[in-house]
Amino acid sequence: MKILVCITNVPDTTAKISFTDSDTKFNKAGVTYICGPYDDYALSRAVELKEQSGGTVTVLNVGEADSEQVIRKCLAIGADDAIRVNCEPTDSYFVAQQIAAIASQENYDLILMGRESIDFNGGVVHGLVGEMLGIPSLSPVMKLDIDGKTARITREIEGGKEDIEATLPLVLGCQEPIAEWKIPNMRGIMTARTKPLKVVEPTGDDLTVTRKFELPAPKGAVKMIAADEVEKLVDLLKNEAKVL
Amino acid sequence: MSVLIFVELDNGAIKKSSLEAVFYGSEVAKAQGTSATVLAIGASSDSELSKAGNFGAKKVLHANDSKLDQANIQAYASVLSAAVEKESASVIVLAKSSLGDAVAARVAGKLKASIVSNITELPDLSSGFKVKRSIYTGKAFAVVEMLSDKKILAIKKNAVSPVETADSAQIEVFTPEVSEADFTVKITGTHKASGTVSLPEADIVVSAGRGLKGPENWGIVEDLAKALGAATACSKPVSDLDWRPHHEHVGQTGIKVSPNLYIACGISGAIQHLAGVNSSKVIVVINKDPEAPFFKAADYGIVGDVFDVLPKLTKAIEASK
Ligand SMILES: Cc1cc2nc3c(=O)[nH]c(=O)nc-3n(C[C@H](O)[C@H](O)[C@H](O)COP(=O)(O)OP(=O)(O)OC[C@H]3O[C@@H](n4cnc5c(N)ncnc54)[C@H](O)[C@@H]3O)c2cc1C
């Protein structure tokens, strides 16, 4: 089985978000970058499937050169090779176009990615890629088993989940508990250094442009209420906050 | 040129978040000097669908083929694309949800439309077409210009406060061709909690963390939620430990909610938890540790034991009704 895993290079979940250049650029100073947590689930499941039944796992990142540290980590976790499309990923349609262009050159059985990136939280790239390739797309996927050409999938829906049967090839947006996050071991880290990482140039245009960033208004001070005065809280929620 | 709004049905009724989308789309139509049309897919009634008129839509297209009763992403995307073509729509609006996102993404692929998700307010049409979206899981916003002719906007809960009118919408049966090729994905089973309030749709959310000590103690959380007509939610470790189902997990790696009121009980307020709840209008935190980081993100706080405070709070709410 040939699996393509698309990953994002994103600020870690505890990163302090700020902007420079009159709020037009993300401030990378002091920020640690990670592989998106949802993408990490996708990669972990891909590596498990390879361990079970053979095949290859290729990692694809649409991103700039500073993504390479995160790409190497994915190779250390068990991917065989990697491709980076050299550009700044800001527009969902554009990113999907890059992925579809790569995917259409090879016959991948599965294209896995996270349900959404944790920087722009779009959650639409898997659907776009599926449509561009003319194959089904499903998200968020919390369980995935493969039996020959058949995929058995559990997808989260509002207030529950549904069981799905579909035929490969498929594009899937993943989330927990599809697999346990994997940590690279020493041998993985050593071999990752020499695994192939191909860089290609992008095609097509952005359909959206980010003009400006903003931070939310700072939160006012918290109003504390004594534990034996819950009636006061009810009164405040009713008459001050007006949410009851 | 017109605005088309895709609404989701829940047992035939238009979802509340979708009615917000109808209002949003109608406001955009007004600003552009055009009209708003709604597309509803699946079984419903004319009296239910005409509600879209109260929120500003002039017309409702109703695609009611029984093949479409089960939400099928590809088939729904084909129907929505056909409606876009029929109405020569240039702006497509829908409420952000797991179905909405999936359908919208495929439609964007079909139409080469720009797509922006998590939109938090009406667009700025003063020069170009600019929308504001929530990014970094609620930690910032981006103002994005949409450049293509066709634009798809997925809006976040509470992006607008709808004003209802007595206007009605004209309902038209819509029967686009649906191809068998759209039905290769088979849904073989659905497991859905019944009788509970939907978490992404809820105006009030009562959420609990590891401070509850074990699944057997959730009665006090459910009682409070019931008194408030609220949905229940939980922190990640609680769903990891299987104390609660996964679809209740909120935060960075779970559901993102933006209710009017979020009540956090026995949750420490880790940054990854806050990421999923920080766009709630009002946050109440109940925690026995006065140093719990959640208090810094709260509007109201009680330092106390959940086992003592929650039953008292439930009683006080019942008494105030
Ligand atoms: C990449 C990544 C993603 C993550 N994503 C998420 C996510 O999406 N959502 C999420 O929630 N977490 C997420 N986490 C985990 C997060 O960091 C925290 O570990 C988690 O939120 C803590 O859950 P908790 O507050 O329930 O438990 P704890 O941190 O153990 O806190 C329990 C709290 O209960 C209080 N308490 C105990 N007993 C009582 C009592 N009797 N009465 C009142 N209060 C009491 C304690 O004072 C404490 O503050 C993520 C972590 C990582 C690394």
Side-chain angles (χ1 to χ4, degrees), chain B residues 201-215:
Chain B
E201 294 272 300
D203 285 328
I204 305 180
V205 173
V206 176
S207 188
R210 210 144 53 174
L212 266 287
K213 308 278 189 291

Side-chain angles (χ1 to χ4, degrees), chain A residues 9 28 33 63-70 84:
Chain A
N9 178 50
K28 291 186 177 180
Y33 278 76
E64 294 171 300
D66 55 8
S67 292
E68 292 198 0
Q69 197 188 345
V70 160
R84 180 172 70 79

Side-chain angles (χ1 to χ4, degrees), chain B residues 84 88-92 111-114 146 148-152:
Chain B
V84 170
S88 321
S90 54
V91 177
I92 299 124
L111 304 176
K112 195 165 189 212
S114 52
M146 302 177 79
S148 56
D149 290 342
K150 292 209 182 333
K151 305 171 180 71
I152 304 183

Side-chain angles (χ1 to χ4, degrees), chain A:
Chain A
M1 191 160 49
K2 274 172 78 90
I3 308 178
L4 182 69
V5 181
C6 309
I7 63 134
T8 55
N9 178 50
V10 289
D12 111 82
T13 53
T14 61
K16 188 161 166 21
I17 305 299
S18 64
F19 304 100
T20 62
D21 297 54
S22 318
D23 288 334
T24 58
K25 279 209 168 65
F26 179 73
N27 183 6
K28 291 186 177 180
V31 172
T32 310
Y33 278 76
I34 57 167
C35 173
Y38 295 115
D39 312 331
D40 239 347
Y41 285 121
L43 175 66
S44 300
R45 188 64 192 138
V47 171
E48 284 175 4
L49 289 171
K50 184 182 89 165
E51 283 166 1
Q52 279 166 21
S53 45
T56 57
V57 175
T58 300
V59 166
L60 170 60
N61 170 252
V62 180
E64 294 171 300
D66 55 8
S67 292
E68 292 198 0
Q69 197 188 345
V70 160
I71 297 174
R72 288 285 169 207
K73 192 188 152 206
C74 296
L75 292 169
I77 283 173
D80 300 286
D81 61 340
I83 305 166
R84 180 172 70 79
V85 183
N86 187 31
C87 58
E88 193 189 354
T90 56
D91 176 54
S92 305
Y93 191 95
F94 178 75
V95 170
Q97 231 177 347
Q98 310 315 315
I99 297 171
I102 301 279
S104 60
Q105 294 163 18
E106 298 277 341
N107 289 315
Y108 293 105
D109 301 293
L110 271 177
I111 301 173
L112 305 183
M113 61 187 85
R115 64 173 293 177
E116 67 182 43
S117 69
I118 66 162
D119 52 3
F120 272 48
N121 308 107
V124 293
V125 170
H126 28 75
L128 280 161
V129 171
E131 186 62 38
M132 287 169 182
L133 296 173
I135 59 177
S137 53
L138 294 163
S139 176
V141 171
M142 47 199 300
K143 196 161 176 280
L144 166 66
D145 288 303
I146 305 288
D147 182 1
K149 282 275 163 205
T150 305
R152 286 195 184 81
I153 289 166
T154 305
R155 186 175 89 92
E156 187 161 278
I157 55 173
E158 225 163 83
K161 49 194 179 183
E162 65 186 13
D163 306 320
I164 290 172
E165 245 179 59
T167 307
L168 304 181
L170 295 170
V171 184
L172 307 177
C174 304
Q175 72 169 26
E176 63 180 15
I178 194 164
E180 296 272 347
W181 281 326
K182 288 195 187 327
I183 298 161
N185 58 28
M186 209 48 211
R187 206 179 140 258
I189 294 167
M190 298 301 288
T191 53
R193 286 186 194 152
T194 53
K195 286 181 179 172
L197 194 173
K198 190 167 85 184
V199 179
V200 300
E201 291 305 316
T203 57
D205 300 308
D206 283 326
L207 300 189
T208 62
V209 210
T210 300
R211 297 290 181 207
K212 207 170 77 156
F213 294 106
E214 289 172 19
L215 290 171
K219 199 99 187 159
V222 53
K223 232 181 222 178
M224 297 305 291
I225 294 126
D228 53 5
E229 290 183 340
V230 290
E231 295 77 13
K232 203 170 140 195
L233 175 64
V234 177
D235 179 58
L236 287 166
L237 291 176
K238 261 199 169 149
N239 300 313
E240 187 180 75
K242 300 195 184 345
V243 287
L244 289 188

Side-chain angles (χ1 to χ4, degrees), chain B residues 157-241:
Chain B
K157 185 177 157 67
N158 276 334
V160 282
S161 311
V163 183
E164 277 183 71
T165 65
D167 295 351
S168 64
Q170 161 209 339
I171 294 160
E172 191 180 306
V173 176
F174 181 50
T175 46
E177 245 180 79
V178 280
S179 136
E180 278 311 314
D182 283 338
F183 292 90
T184 58
V185 168
K186 299 269 178 273
I187 300 168
T188 55
T190 306
H191 318 270
K192 219 173 156 168
S194 58
T196 53
V197 180
S198 151
L199 177 56
E201 294 272 300
D203 285 328
I204 305 180
V205 173
V206 176
S207 188
R210 210 144 53 174
L212 266 287
K213 308 278 189 291
E216 66 283 5
N217 298 327
W218 243 260
I220 53 173
V221 179
E222 281 165 346
D223 289 347
L224 177 58
K226 209 163 152 210
L228 290 164
T232 49
C234 66
S235 66
K236 175 169 155 66
V238 165
S239 78
D240 285 349
L241 291 162

Side-chain angles (χ1 to χ4, degrees), chain B:
Chain B
M1 197 178 81
S2 74
V3 176
L4 184 72
I5 302 115
F6 168 62
V7 297
E8 286 180 50
L9 301 174
D10 181 16
N11 281 321
I14 302 177
K15 280 172 56 178
K16 195 163 155 275
S17 54
S18 289
L19 289 172
E20 280 179 21
V22 174
F23 182 75
Y24 186 105
S26 304
E27 291 295 301
V28 175
K30 249 192 249 165
Q32 292 190 320
T34 171
S35 68
T37 300
V38 160
L39 169 69
I41 307 177
S44 184
S45 66
D46 284 7
S47 65
E48 177 55 38
L49 294 178
S50 68
K51 268 193 197 157
N54 306 149
F55 290 80
K58 293 278 176 278
K59 184 163 80 177
V60 178
L61 299 178
H62 186 201
N64 192 14
D65 189 325
S66 60
K67 270 197 271 182
L68 299 168
D69 281 349
Q70 221 174 21
N72 173 304
I73 292 164
Q74 279 168 282
Y76 275 37
S78 295
V79 174
L80 178 52
S81 300
V84 170
E85 226 159 274
K86 174 174 157 33
E87 296 296 312
S88 321
S90 54
V91 177
I92 299 124
V93 178
L94 65 150
K96 183 174 170 66
S97 77
S98 71
L99 178 67
D101 287 352
V103 172
R106 293 200 73 108
V107 173
K110 282 183 201 291
L111 304 176
K112 195 165 189 212
S114 52
I115 178 165
V116 178
S117 190
N118 272 315
I119 293 174
T120 58
E121 50 186 65
L122 286 167
D124 170 3
L125 305 176
S126 58
S127 79
F129 193 108
K130 297 197 202 90
V131 290
K132 194 192 240 190
R133 69 189 295 191
S134 163
I135 55 169
Y136 295 107
T137 328
K139 287 192 252 180
F141 299 96
V143 175
V144 178
E145 183 166 356
M146 302 177 79
L147 304 172
S148 56
D149 290 342
K150 292 209 182 333
K151 305 171 180 71
I152 304 183
L153 284 62
I155 65 163
K156 194 169 164 146
K157 185 177 157 67
N158 276 334
V160 282
S161 311
V163 183
E164 277 183 71
T165 65
D167 295 351
S168 64
Q170 161 209 339
I171 294 160
E172 191 180 306
V173 176
F174 181 50
T175 46
E177 245 180 79
V178 280
S179 136
E180 278 311 314
D182 283 338
F183 292 90
T184 58
V185 168
K186 299 269 178 273
I187 300 168
T188 55
T190 306
H191 318 270
K192 219 173 156 168
S194 58
T196 53
V197 180
S198 151
L199 177 56
E201 294 272 300
D203 285 328
I204 305 180
V205 173
V206 176
S207 188
R210 210 144 53 174
L212 266 287
K213 308 278 189 291
E216 66 283 5
N217 298 327
W218 243 260
I220 53 173
V221 179
E222 281 165 346
D223 289 347
L224 177 58
K226 209 163 152 210
L228 290 164
T232 49
C234 66
S235 66
K236 175 169 155 66
V238 165
S239 78
D240 285 349
L241 291 162
D242 259 337
W243 292 1
R244 299 296 294 174
H246 190 270
H247 63 258
E248 285 197 1
H249 156 199
V250 291
Q252 178 93 62
T253 48
I255 310 248
K256 283 84 186 168
V257 294
S258 46
N260 295 333
L261 174 60
Y262 184 82
I263 305 183
C265 315
I267 303 176
S268 58
I271 192 158
Q272 297 93 354
H273 184 86
L274 296 181
V277 307
N278 54 9
S279 43
S280 308
K281 274 194 194 151
V282 173
I283 295 180
V284 171
V285 169
I286 303 164
N287 196 304
K288 70 174 182 188
D289 173 10
E291 301 298 321
F294 219 145
F295 285 117
K296 289 204 179 71
D299 298 281
Y300 301 101
I302 292 182
V303 175
D305 189 324
V306 287
F307 296 100
D308 166 49
V309 176
L310 293 198
K312 281 203 288 198
L313 184 56
T314 305
K315 258 200 206 131
I317 283 157
E318 294 286 7
S320 78
K321 277 185 186 166

